[in-house]
Amino acid sequence: MPDGSGIPRDGGAGRTVRTTCPYCGVGCGVLAETGPDGAVTVRGDPDHPANRGRLCSKGAALAETVGTQGRLLHPHLDGRPVSWDRAIGTLAAAFRHAIDHHGPDSVALYVSGQLLTEDYYVANKLMKGFIGTANIDTNSRLCMASTVAGHKRAFGSDTVPGTYGDLEQADLVVLVGSNLAWCHPVLHQRLLAARRERGTRIVVVDPRRTAACDEADLHLALAPGADVALFNGLLAHLHAGGHGDAAFVERHTDGAAGAVAAALAEAPTPERAAALCGLDPAAVRRFYDLFAATERVVTVFSQGVNQSARGTDKVNAILNAHLYTGRIGRPGMGPFSVTGQPNAMGGREVGGLANQLAAHMGFSATEVDRVRRFWNAPRMAVREGLKAVDLFRAVEDGRIRALWIMATNPAVSVPDAGRLRAALSRCDFVAVSDGFADTDTARLAHLTLPAALWGEKDGTVTNSDRTIARQRPFLPLPGAARPDWWIVSALGRALGWADAFAYDRPATIFREHAALSAFENGGSRDFDIGALAGLDDAAYDALTSAPWPMRAGEAPTRRLFADGGFFTPDRRARLLPVTGRPPARARSADFPLWLNSGRTRDHWHTMTRTGRSPRLSAHTPEPCVDLHPADAARAGVTDGAVVRIVTATGTALARAALKDGQRPGEAFLPMHWTDRFTGACVAGTLIDAVADPVSGQPELKAMPARVEPVTLRWAGCLLSREPVEPRHAGYWARHAVPGGHVLALAGEDAPPDAGALADLFPGLSPAGADTVDYEDRRRGVLRRAWIADDRLAACLFLAADGALPSRDRLLRLLAGEPLDAAARLAVLSGRSSEPAAAEGRIVCSCFRVGLDRLTAAVRDGGLTSVEAIGRALNAGTNCGSCVPELREILAAVREGAAA
Ligand SMILES: Nc1nc2c(c(=O)[nH]1)N[C@H]1C(S)=C(S)[C@@H](COP(=O)(O)OP(=O)(O)OC[C@H]3O[C@@H](n4cnc5c(=O)[nH]c(N)nc54)[C@H](O)[C@@H]3O)O[C@H]1N2
Ligand SMILES: Nc1nc2c(c(=O)[nH]1)N[C@H]1C(S)=C(S)[C@@H](COP(=O)(O)OP(=O)(O)OC[C@H]3O[C@@H](n4cnc5c(=O)[nH]c(N)nc54)[C@H](O)[C@@H]3O)O[C@H]1N2
Ligand code: SF4
Ligand SMILES: [Mo]
């Protein structure tokens, strides 16, 4: 078999390749180019419908995250490199053994919305059609499952009715549990551009003030979980005011009376809804009146809705309001679930969730039979498989004996991650496919398989508005890395299904996937891309972005449901009676805060890629927990201090960040940090696994917690060329900087002395390395430089009083070389504390402009607007992701001047 690469081994230097960003579900088009020296450059594709040339900070830094550094380049069995033959043989033997002795349900795949559609299709086919189990679930269970379930309950199908253009044609956009400014930045930019032209109103529904509130007309900082009450109150208000679309409701829906009755029972008045949500009644009334008075409303929703023990009810409460007013499927209106991962939507299309079969079909006898005939499948799964939380419980209690994890890092991202880690370490056989060698999950695997990554992979993805786009390779496969579809197909053949898994290229798989979507469809299923089933290889290579459905022989449909035509048996949508409930767990005297978790602007999930980029790491170099100042004061915690976060399932160490925009009684922790980047701050270990009963999606945003002060006896920082992982039980956090890494450390125990450094930093004293020490025990100061080949390899500063050199000075040290004798001493003899850094924390990552420089320029240069900052420093003029923060700096300087 060929190696599955679309690129010659010598690379494709000089070509410009049109591809799609591998991060969020906006799905921006990217033009990538490899120079003759191998250097990669990326820019936004001006012709792509999603972004029209724009990229956010993450997309703009893509070139920094490709390359072979840290990559897994060969299969490894029990830590030793092995051939692909051996690796596939081992995988097949483990699966075969479990199936023979314990049945097909004893094996499982846990996959990801970061697989390409072709990878996903083959994995799903292998499990559900050939191995004969539906025990394949995906990280979309943590992400989109409640939306899928809510869509299916209301529409009879998992359909996003609208398009990105609707956000530009709307007069009111409601963002519910969505930090669009940071998580879908280019879409947010499009919304803001439209707002400047047509005055679009924006309402944000989120317990905390986020960057998306920056240009909002109204922010409803509701109590966590109160969304159902808020939207029930809206439905009751729409009903009372006669704002329903009686004709649409009559012709195209069912259940409106019951839904309205439930809404009236829970929140008959805006005042009652406000009380249930912990909001100001006037603000709630304003939202309801805006909604009632505006025809063109788009309600965007994301993880604040989905990641809840009542996520499906939240989704249906939103859909109810749109169905009741007939605001769906027409320009500028509709409910709009934005997908997170680049191919979250594609995964739903192929049936990657354990409760879906394939191509938007479920497990009815007719559907199972239809797919059996299409695949010519020997052993069909006939019922739903285990959903993520249950799947990992089955690993824990031994029902699942062989598990293969692909393109996801569950040791970090699954709730109750500590329990999951214990379960994996007890499992008979765990395989992990990843592009990187050292992830928290890979450390628990028997077999690791080197996967091709973005830039090397070839296939398709579907974004939030159903647009199918190509990812194209522009880099050769590194080492023995292979695309995921290649690896899965190899297993399929090794298990004996040579014909069904004879795939030699993504185009073949895509044609089959397209054909299945149209197979015995006849308009009965929303997902149909039959028009693409006949693409030849050249046409597949040249495929331009286009939305589904694409039925063969029919004109393309851009929006759905304006004239009904839902995918229920009677073609009517369902309004569901739903009632709000508090989050699954209650706060207590011991755990007085709700722990919320989510994303920061410049990191992507578990940081395997963005953690490599100095540019992206500069925005939030260390893990921070956001607290309201009143909660911090109650806990005895100050801004910037290291604090301990404690929940019923775990503890973590992070720096406190005091924010007025936090809802009192709520803390927010990013989900990004892993054991590879910090001592102990994996959000997933702090959160219990309680799932929505309908969708199986776990609640990730409301865990009872407390925050405790930590008394530190010393602090330090290590600057190194190579990443160093300290053997340190206290606080540490590492981030990439130009030319190396900065590791911040702090401890509650006695500070380490020179003799303890070899233990603290294993691997930092290679043969031939010199060390130069400076120690002042009285002042509790210890410094060491490691020098190899006249270059500074690493440099440590420890101080009992916490006085350390500035970040700018550390960065200058990495730049200054080679080191002569004088320079060696100078490294250590510098004053222990420095004047304030000129740059400060990076705010604009595109042009590397820091907080201190911005503050000084605004204050001393008399800058009064974001545009003026842009003219003076360039900040904010490229991707625009930092504009909300620029506005905050302007306000802070203004307030400072007024005080
Ligand atoms: N920078 C960046 N962008 C990303 C990603 C990333 O890792 N980094 N990941 C991508 C992925 S996979 C996803 S799924 C998306 C997620 O995109 P979002 O859903 O926008 O991101 P989150 O930060 O997870 O959560 C959104 C908000 O929900 C709020 N929230 C919490 N509880 C509630 C509640 O009860 N009700 C309401 N109304 N709101 C609540 C939180 O305070 C938070 O601000 O982002 C995608 N884009
Ligand atoms: N506490 C908390 N937890 C959360 C969330 C939250 O808001 N709060 N959000 C949840 C959500 S919405 C999501 S989507 C998940 C995300 O969580 P994960 O999926 O665990 O996060 P990633 O870091 O994206 O993991 C992807 C892994 O696949 C690797 N990879 C990338 N591309 C490829 C490829 O093409 N092939 C292979 N084989 N590997 C590849 C990467 O190196 C990385 O190790 O986290 C969930 N967990
Ligand atoms: S908004 Fe940013 S992360 Fe999302 S697809 Fe576009 S460039 Fe990539
Ligand atoms: Mo996600």
Side-chain angles (χ1 to χ4, degrees):
M1 272 290 154
D3 67 9
S5 159
I7 288 285
R9 280 272 155 178
D10 61 355
R15 290 186 308 141
T16 299
V17 172
R18 199 164 238 127
T19 181
T20 310
C21 175
Y23 294 123
C24 84
V26 176
C28 295
V30 170
L31 298 177
E33 210 168 314
T34 321
D37 56 351
V40 171
T41 50
V42 300
R43 61 199 153 93
D45 179 351
D47 299 326
H48 196 281
N51 57 319
R52 301 170 198 146
R54 279 186 173 276
L55 292 178
C56 76
S57 48
K58 292 182 298 302
L62 271 168
E64 281 183 34
T65 61
V66 296
T68 53
Q69 251 257 305
R71 292 289 298 272
L72 179 64
L73 296 173
H74 298 278
H76 280 69
L77 182 60
D78 297 322
R80 280 184 298 277
V82 293
S83 68
W84 270 113
D85 278 353
R86 177 89 195 280
I88 297 295
T90 305
L91 187 59
F95 268 55
R96 174 60 57 215
H97 185 269
I99 295 165
D100 288 350
H101 291 84
H102 308 283
D105 288 336
S106 68
V107 300
L109 252 60
Y110 183 61
V111 300
S112 152
Q114 291 166 78
L115 291 175
L116 303 185
T117 297
E118 292 75 4
D119 304 322
Y120 233 138
Y121 177 86
V122 179
N124 191 56
K125 175 179 174 181
L126 175 66
M127 291 301 274
K128 290 181 182 150
F130 289 75
I131 289 180
T133 176
N135 282 347
I136 167 171
D137 207 35
T138 143
N139 64 358
S140 285
R141 184 68 58 199
L142 315 175
C143 181
M144 306 312 305
S146 295
T147 287
V148 174
H151 280 164
K152 287 177 68 182
R153 289 204 301 194
F155 306 150
S157 60
D158 175 21
T159 317
V160 173
T163 76
Y164 289 158
D166 289 326
L167 274 80
E168 293 164 321
Q169 291 168 273
D171 294 310
L172 170 64
V173 172
V174 188
L175 302 176
V176 192
S178 156
N179 183 5
L180 205 71
W182 280 7
C183 296
H184 299 88
V186 166
L187 191 55
H188 190 245
Q189 296 287 331
R190 284 179 60 172
L191 170 60
L192 295 188
R195 173 181 163 89
R196 282 189 280 277
E197 286 192 359
R198 64 186 294 136
T200 320
R201 303 301 184 96
I202 300 176
V203 175
V204 176
V205 181
D206 192 310
R208 60 191 191 114
R209 192 167 69 223
T210 64
C213 299
D214 177 52
E215 281 201 42
D217 298 275
L218 184 61
H219 171 208
L220 298 174
L222 85 178
D227 306 77
V228 173
L230 183 72
F231 279 86
N232 264 344
L234 173 63
L235 184 60
H237 183 76
L238 294 169
H239 174 75
H243 299 291
D245 179 339
F248 186 88
V249 168
E250 167 66 30
R251 287 179 49 213
H252 300 306
T253 73
D254 193 18
V260 168
L264 286 168
E266 184 178 25
T269 61
E271 287 66 30
R272 179 72 195 130
L276 290 169
C277 299
L279 290 168
D280 168 17
V284 171
R285 202 171 257 290
R286 192 169 156 221
F287 165 48
Y288 290 177
D289 287 339
L290 256 179
F291 196 109
T294 315
E295 174 80 352
R296 292 182 165 212
V297 186
V298 172
T299 305
V300 172
F301 54 99
S302 185
Q303 299 315 337
V305 169
N306 292 333
Q307 288 172 344
S308 151
R310 295 285 156 188
T312 312
D313 285 353
K314 287 186 180 186
V315 171
N316 285 108
I318 293 170
L319 302 185
N320 282 349
H322 279 271
L323 289 169
Y324 190 72
T325 48
R327 289 179 190 153
I328 188 164
R330 287 182 286 146
M333 54 189 99
F336 202 114
S337 144
V338 277
T339 51
Q341 300 176 92
N343 201 29
M345 193 69 102
R348 285 146 71 174
E349 290 155 19
V350 303
L353 289 160
N355 54 324
Q356 302 288 301
L357 178 52
H360 280 205
M361 284 178 272
F363 286 92
S364 73
T366 324
E367 289 164 313
V368 170
D369 180 61
R370 181 183 300 133
V371 177
R372 178 205 316 277
R373 285 182 285 111
F374 182 85
W375 279 340
N376 193 16
R379 185 166 194 170
M380 284 295 291
V382 294
R383 57 171 188 280
E384 297 181 4
L386 295 171
K387 302 182 178 115
V389 170
D390 295 332
L391 189 143
F392 287 111
R393 290 284 179 271
V395 172
E396 181 175 58
D397 65 25
R399 277 173 291 150
I400 287 174
R401 308 271 175 152
L403 172 68
W404 185 7
I405 297 165
M406 212 179 288
T408 174
N409 197 358
V412 181
S413 54
V414 161
D416 218 347
R419 189 166 162 184
L420 174 126
R421 290 172 185 220
L424 291 192
S425 57
R426 276 203 306 272
C427 184
D428 288 352
F429 180 81
V430 177
V432 169
S433 301
D434 204 289
F436 292 101
D438 193 17
T439 71
D440 287 21
T441 306
R443 287 205 172 187
L444 300 164
H446 303 100
L447 179 69
T448 53
L449 301 166
L453 290 180
W454 183 80
E456 302 144 15
K457 297 193 78 162
D458 190 10
T460 55
V461 289
T462 310
N463 72 4
S464 294
D465 83 343
R466 288 177 277 107
T467 298
I468 297 177
R470 290 280 275 113
Q471 264 196 26
R472 295 187 177 88
F474 54 90
L475 294 167
L477 295 174
R482 294 287 181 274
D484 293 290
W485 64 261
W486 184 98
I487 309 174
V488 180
S489 302
L491 176 64
R493 292 191 299 272
L495 288 174
W497 302 296
D499 291 342
F501 296 93
Y503 306 113
D504 62 346
R505 66 195 64 202
T508 321
I509 305 168
F510 185 81
R511 283 189 287 268
E512 186 179 311
H513 165 61
L516 174 58
S517 76
F519 186 61
E520 298 176 2
N521 186 326
S524 64
R525 305 193 299 272
D526 63 337
F527 179 64
D528 185 338
I529 53 168
L532 302 179
L535 290 187
D536 61 18
D537 289 357
Y540 175 79
D541 276 343
L543 192 67
T544 50
S545 307
W548 63 259
M550 284 184 250
R551 299 184 193 278
E554 277 183 27
T557 341
R558 195 57 187 103
R559 292 185 182 81
L560 291 102
F561 307 148
D563 300 313
F566 295 93
F567 292 92
T568 51
D570 58 10
R571 292 279 176 173
R572 285 166 178 274
R574 301 286 184 270
L575 279 80
L576 274 276
V578 287
T579 306
R581 291 206 173 74
R585 309 246 163 241
R587 285 178 300 180
S588 61
D590 250 5
F591 299 119
L593 301 171
W594 291 119
L595 181 69
N596 180 1
S597 66
R599 287 144 178 89
T600 58
R601 195 189 76 190
D602 287 355
H603 274 307
W604 177 261
H605 297 163
T606 70
M607 294 164 58
T608 59
R609 287 172 289 171
T610 50
R612 279 157 213 279
S613 158
R615 199 157 28 139
L616 297 178
S617 301
H619 182 255
T620 323
E622 296 183 42
C624 293
V625 57
D626 293 353
L627 295 169
H628 189 272
D631 290 322
R634 209 166 295 122
V637 157
T638 53
D639 195 35
V642 171
V643 299
R644 182 168 284 111
I645 310 162
V646 185
T647 70
T649 62
T651 64
L653 292 171
R655 286 200 190 273
L658 271 47
K659 302 238 166 105
D660 292 330
Q662 264 307 113
R663 187 184 161 86
E666 245 217 12
F668 180 84
L669 187 68
M671 61 163 294
H672 306 296
W673 270 266
T674 74
D675 285 354
R676 310 279 69 78
F677 290 94
T678 188
C681 196
V682 174
T685 61
L686 299 175
I687 303 170
D688 220 344
V690 182
D692 178 294
V694 183
S695 67
Q697 177 155 359
E699 181 152 285
L700 293 170
K701 290 190 161 23
M703 179 71 187
R706 71 168 172 273
V707 167
E708 298 171 350
V710 170
T711 311
L712 295 176
R713 291 184 56 193
W714 57 274
C717 64
L718 178 88
L719 178 74
S720 63
R721 302 229 176 246
E722 298 300 320
V724 172
E725 215 171 283
R727 220 180 269 145
H728 175 48
Y731 177 79
W732 64 267
R734 186 186 67 211
H735 72 280
V737 296
H741 305 263
V742 169
L743 178 68
L745 300 115
E748 295 169 84
D749 303 329
D753 57 21
L757 294 185
D759 274 350
L760 185 58
F761 303 115
L764 243 195
S765 295
D770 281 350
T771 57
V772 185
D773 281 10
Y774 170 88
E775 196 167 7
D776 179 343
R777 283 180 193 250
R778 199 175 39 83
R779 287 173 49 225
V781 170
L782 171 62
R783 301 179 194 146
R784 171 176 290 179
W786 285 261
I787 291 155
D789 302 326
D790 282 341
R791 289 177 88 220
L792 185 68
C795 191
L796 172 74
F797 299 82
L798 289 184
D801 63 359
L804 296 167
S806 73
R807 205 183 116 90
D808 285 357
R809 166 139 193 266
L810 294 177
L811 298 191
R812 282 200 301 275
L813 279 179
L814 272 184
E817 54 179 321
L819 294 175
D820 57 19
R824 288 179 186 210
L825 283 178
V827 165
L828 299 179
S829 68
R831 282 157 297 148
S832 56
S833 60
E834 288 262 310
E839 197 61 73
R841 181 181 69 77
I842 297 299
V843 173
C844 169
S845 30
C846 297
F847 295 104
R848 297 195 59 80
V849 190
L851 181 61
D852 296 355
R853 184 145 65 105
L854 282 162
T855 306
V858 169
R859 195 186 46 220
D860 308 336
L863 308 179
T864 55
S865 67
V866 168
E867 292 70 26
I869 295 179
R871 280 192 297 273
L873 300 173
N874 280 335
T877 55
N878 184 41
C879 78
S881 299
C882 65
V883 167
E885 281 160 280
L886 298 183
R887 249 185 262 287
E888 272 175 30
I889 293 167
L890 286 164
V893 172
R894 241 191 335 266
E895 275 165 32

